Amino acid sequence: MIAAFLNPEGTLLHAGSDELDRVASGLSSLLRAAELIPVTALDEEALLNVPAAFTSWQVLLHGAVLLDPDGAEDPAWRRLTVETLDAAQGALELAAQAAGHVSALAQLDLDLTRTERHGRLLRVELRHPYGLPRPLDQAERDLRDWLADGPLRDTLRLERTPDALRLLPRDLRPELAVNYLLSQLDAEFTLGVSALPGDAAFLALCDYAMVPGSADLLDPAPAERDDEE
């Protein structure tokens, strides 16, 4: 059995040009014979918008949720996630306040979204309503300084994507869920596919990794910034 761990964001989702559509179509054809396992920040509902059939395990919400082929949460992983979220609740509430203050004080007009799971705050996210990158760039600088200068640098992490800025528990990472899942699978060969720099860690766990030619996954800057948090 071939297990393909795929982040659909930037590969199968959000295509918008002939080149991206071609890559998405080619990936779908190439991975058709593999057991396709999404590794994504999306939840169950958002994953339905991805043009692919996911019938195996699913790693969702940055690794906070691990669903088996029947769509049920893995009980052991759920317990670990709840423990992690319980330990980070105070820090995440402070992060939500800080993110709101950063946007308001600098008049960045960013939308703040709180995502919950298991009745607990999981993610604080900032987006610009028109997708402008500069307000996110400034918010990222301010929030990284806030983390670096405060007591929460060992509890929270800041994740940047092309269109969002996210504050998450530091101990909540997709590669941890992938590593756990690898111990449950009887896979002869594992393949990782992603276009996002933040996914380098879970790709490194696979036998082989595929990165779209236009991706900046090998850019060392995100890892360097994370070390400075």
Side-chain angles (χ1 to χ4, degrees):
M1 185 253 303
I2 298 175
F5 295 89
L6 166 76
N7 189 339
E9 295 185 89
T11 53
L12 300 181
L13 194 63
H14 300 316
S17 67
D18 291 341
E19 177 64 17
L20 287 176
D21 287 337
R22 182 185 66 80
V23 171
S25 176
L27 278 174
S28 297
S29 299
L30 179 64
L31 300 175
R32 192 165 294 151
E35 191 165 332
L36 199 58
I37 301 171
V39 182
T40 176
L42 303 174
D43 61 15
E44 295 94 326
E45 183 178 356
L47 192 65
L48 295 176
N49 296 321
V50 178
F54 298 112
T55 59
S56 182
W57 291 79
Q58 299 179 18
V59 180
L60 308 178
L61 287 172
H62 311 276
V65 176
L66 184 60
L67 301 183
D68 66 20
D70 294 325
E73 282 198 58
D74 181 87
W77 193 254
R78 186 184 189 279
R79 286 193 297 270
L80 287 173
T81 295
V82 169
E83 291 175 4
T84 298
L85 294 182
D86 280 343
Q89 287 306 284
L92 284 169
E93 290 292 348
L94 290 174
Q97 295 177 24
H101 290 160
V102 163
S103 178
L105 291 175
Q107 299 182 343
L108 301 178
D109 296 324
L110 298 173
D111 293 331
L112 188 150
T113 303
R114 296 162 56 102
T115 299
E116 294 188 356
R117 190 75 184 200
H118 308 309
R120 297 160 176 84
L121 183 58
L122 164 69
R123 178 179 68 198
V124 176
E125 184 174 77
L126 290 173
R127 290 177 181 267
H128 192 274
Y130 302 109
L132 299 180
R134 283 193 174 184
L136 281 180
D137 291 342
Q138 181 171 342
E140 180 182 9
R141 290 192 295 269
D142 291 345
L143 287 172
R144 288 197 184 280
D145 288 343
W146 174 74
L147 277 177
D149 296 337
L152 302 180
R153 57 181 299 169
D154 294 327
T155 306
L156 301 177
R157 65 185 178 92
L158 187 64
E159 176 184 280
R160 174 68 188 271
T161 70
D163 58 356
L165 194 60
R166 296 160 173 161
L167 285 152
L168 298 150
R170 180 174 282 277
D171 293 334
L172 186 69
R173 296 178 179 270
E175 62 267 24
L176 300 178
V178 170
N179 189 54
Y180 171 82
L181 187 50
L182 285 172
S183 68
Q184 310 297 311
L185 294 174
D186 184 22
E188 299 175 1
F189 182 80
T190 57
L191 174 68
V193 184
S194 177
L196 301 183
D199 288 337
F202 96 72
L203 293 181
L205 297 173
C206 299
D207 296 319
Y208 192 80
M210 292 178 57
V211 179
S214 60
D216 59 352
L217 187 102
L218 299 181
D219 180 1
E224 291 173 358
R225 287 199 302 266
D226 190 63
D227 290 339
E228 296 172 0
E229 293 175 11

